[in-house]
Amino acid sequence: MKAFTRADRGLVSAEFEPVEAALLTQLASQVAGVLSTRRDDAAPADPVLARLLPDAYADSDDAAEFRRFTADGLGARKIGNAQRIIADVAECLTAETETAVLLDEAAVGAWLRSLTDIRLMLAVRLGISDSDVDDPAPPSDELLMLGDIYDWLGWVQDSLVDAVDEP
């Protein structure tokens, strides 16, 4: 991937290799899929869904009441953000060459929010939490690969923030 840079008319652009574009599309699709499985006002049993739609209150009754009024809208916005990445990449995807993505201000916001959601999904799969204090067991090859993808997505997100902040 070539880092995001500021383009004409306030737009930002980046170029993804075909495999990177496909991976980004697949991960955004996974986030949208997980969010579309939400069915009720109860705390989600799926740990990825619980991380994407966390409880707002420690008390389970208060959390359920808050979730009842907010989870549908939040979930729909998160799905929309993921679908924005999918659409933006699909719009310029070719099988043999780099995919040049051009984002306007609205797309930048959707991409940043969805990249965060994708990284949260991967963090759950990697066992990363804000309360990790113990040394984890040696990672498997699959976890090493997911860790590399997690790190790469952090770089993509940082690149996008840097491009937006360019004068």
Side-chain angles (χ1 to χ4, degrees), residues 9 65 142:
R9 303 177 317 270
E65 185 71 5
E142 179 184 354

Side-chain angles (χ1 to χ4, degrees), residues 89-155:
V89 170
E91 183 177 303
C92 51
L93 182 65
T94 63
E96 300 171 9
T97 63
E98 291 180 332
T99 302
V101 177
L102 192 63
L103 307 178
D104 62 16
E105 187 176 332
V108 166
W111 273 64
L112 288 171
R113 289 185 295 274
S114 191
L115 287 168
T116 298
D117 290 340
I118 293 168
R119 293 186 79 228
L120 284 171
M121 176 183 69
L122 291 176
V124 169
R125 293 178 180 168
L126 287 165
I128 298 171
S129 73
D130 57 357
S131 61
D132 282 342
V133 291
D134 296 328
D135 290 331
S140 64
D141 288 344
E142 179 184 354
L143 289 180
L144 286 172
M145 182 182 66
L146 282 178
D148 288 344
I149 294 169
Y150 179 85
D151 290 341
W152 174 73
L153 288 167
W155 180 82

Side-chain angles (χ1 to χ4, degrees), residues 26-131:
Q26 181 183 27
L27 291 169
S29 295
Q30 287 178 20
V31 165
V34 166
L35 288 163
S36 68
T37 64
R38 189 188 155 286
R39 296 288 182 241
D40 57 22
D41 299 334
D46 180 345
V48 172
L49 192 54
R51 189 82 177 261
L52 293 172
L53 299 171
D55 285 337
Y57 298 98
D59 178 78
S60 60
D61 291 337
D62 291 342
E65 185 71 5
F66 184 81
R67 183 178 305 282
R68 185 168 71 89
F69 289 107
T70 62
D72 287 341
L74 180 58
R77 286 189 300 278
K78 287 177 178 280
I79 290 170
N81 292 333
Q83 289 172 337
R84 181 66 190 252
I85 287 180
I86 296 165
D88 288 343
V89 170
E91 183 177 303
C92 51
L93 182 65
T94 63
E96 300 171 9
T97 63
E98 291 180 332
T99 302
V101 177
L102 192 63
L103 307 178
D104 62 16
E105 187 176 332
V108 166
W111 273 64
L112 288 171
R113 289 185 295 274
S114 191
L115 287 168
T116 298
D117 290 340
I118 293 168
R119 293 186 79 228
L120 284 171
M121 176 183 69
L122 291 176
V124 169
R125 293 178 180 168
L126 287 165
I128 298 171
S129 73
D130 57 357
S131 61

